[in-house]
Amino acid sequence: MDIALCQNPNHDSQRLKYICVDPNCNVAKRIGCADCFLDDHITHIRKTTAQFKEQVSQSIDTISQVEFSKANSSPQKDLDCQIDFELENCIENIKSRFLAIKNDLKSQIDSDMLKVQDNCSQFKQNMNNELNPFKLTIENELPSLNQYELNQLVKFYQEAPKIHKHYSKASELLQDEKSKVKQKKQKHLNKMKSIIQVLLKEFNDLMTTKNVQIDDCSEYETPQKYTMSPNKMINLVETARSTRRFPMSQSQKKYFLSAVTKKLD
C-alpha cells in the first residue's frame, strides 16, 4: 500500500498533495488529495505538501538561530566590574569613615593622656624639688649642721605627714584622671560597636530574599520590594513554554511548586 496515495475508494487513488493549515479547521484529517479538500476543506487555507515541508524547515532554521547570551559575555563582564567597583567603593567609604572616627577618638585620648602625664610630671618634679634638699642634708652628721639646716629638718619632720598626705592626694587625683580617660575610651568603643551592630542588622534586613530591592530597569523610578512567589515562577515557566502551547499538567505544577518552595527555603 502506497501511503502517499489517498485511501478513499471514491478518490481514484490520487496523491496526498495538500495540507490544511487553517487555524479554524476542526477536521481530524489535515492531509488529503484534491477531492478530500473539495469535500472537507473547500474554504480552508491550504499548502501543498512540498510548500508545507519547506516552510516548516525554514521556521525550524529561523528559531534555531535565536541566540542566548552567555554568562561570560561582554555586557555581563561589564556588569560584574560595575558591581565590584560599587562594592569596593562602598567598603572604602565605610572604612574611611570609621578610620576618621578612630583617629578622632585616638587624638582625644592622646590629648587627655598628655595632660595627665604633664600633671604627673609636674607633681613629681615639685616633690623632688621639695625633698632633694633634705636628702642631701640628712646624709650629714647632725652636729655638723648649722642652725638653719637643722631648723629646716625639724620643720620637715613636723610637716612630713602633711606633705605625704598632699602628694598622696595628688596621686589619687591623677589616678582618677587616668580612669576617666579609660572610661571615655571604653564609652566610645562601645558606641562604635553599637553602630557596627546597627549597620550589620540593616544590611542583613536589606539582603534577605523577601526584601531584596529590584529596579524595574528605570533609573527614574523608585525600586520596589519584589518577591517572586513560586506561583509566579510557574507562570513564567509556562509562558516560556511556547506561549502556553504546551502548558504544565497539574502533576507537573505540583512537582515544580514543591521544588521551588524547597529551593527558596
Side-chain angles (χ1 to χ4, degrees), residues 143-193:
S144 68
L145 298 177
N146 60 39
Q147 192 62 41
Y148 175 78
E149 291 173 333
L150 187 59
N151 287 341
Q152 289 298 111
L153 280 178
V154 172
K155 184 179 180 181
F156 172 76
Y157 171 79
Q158 294 171 341
E159 294 182 350
K162 182 179 179 180
I163 295 172
H164 179 268
K165 183 179 180 180
H166 168 73
Y167 286 111
S168 294
K169 183 65 175 177
S171 177
E172 291 176 0
L173 291 175
L174 290 172
Q175 286 298 122
D176 288 343
E177 289 300 315
K178 289 181 180 179
S179 296
K180 289 180 181 178
V181 174
K182 185 177 180 180
Q183 291 173 1
K184 182 177 181 181
K185 178 181 179 182
Q186 189 62 48
K187 180 180 179 180
H188 281 280
L189 288 176
N190 291 338
K191 185 175 182 180
M192 288 182 65
K193 289 180 181 178

